[in-house]
Amino acid sequence: FFSQIYVFKAKDQAMKLAILSTLLAGAAAFAPVSPAARGSVQLSETKADLEALATTLNPLVKFYDPLNLAEAEFWGASNEATIGFLRHAEI
């Protein structure tokens, strides 16, 4: 009889531990996170920057822009903003 009570208590403690760990894991999803330190980021690029980058990345083809997108200005934004948008879109 006492061995059955001990097994029941052990199962009860295991169940309580499983519930507690589930609750703690769920609460960790809503804990605030400190922002990560970021390095410096170049925010604007010009056509000359693209040409220099293309030459270093692929010396055989170099700069190739058949649609002339490096000189475009989308949505009334500057040329640098358009290049930034296109670079972001290709990621």
Side-chain angles (χ1 to χ4, degrees):
F1 177 74
F2 290 110
S3 64
Q4 291 176 347
I5 293 175
Y6 179 74
V7 170
F8 179 72
K9 286 185 178 181
K11 287 182 180 179
D12 189 39
Q13 288 177 348
M15 184 177 66
K16 286 180 182 178
L17 181 63
I19 291 172
L20 179 66
S21 64
T22 302
L23 291 174
L24 290 177
F30 299 102
V33 178
S34 62
R38 295 183 179 233
S40 63
V41 177
Q42 185 178 359
L43 297 177
S44 63
E45 290 195 29
T46 62
K47 184 176 178 182
D49 295 332
L50 291 178
E51 290 171 352
L53 186 64
T55 303
T56 59
L57 293 177
N58 191 350
L60 183 64
V61 176
K62 297 183 181 171
F63 184 71
Y64 181 68
D65 185 18
L67 299 177
N68 205 17
L69 292 176
E71 295 179 4
E73 294 182 359
F74 295 172
W75 305 290
S78 67
N79 182 261
E80 289 83 11
T82 301
I83 291 173
F85 170 77
L86 293 172
R87 297 278 318 265
H88 178 77
E90 68 184 347
I91 296 174

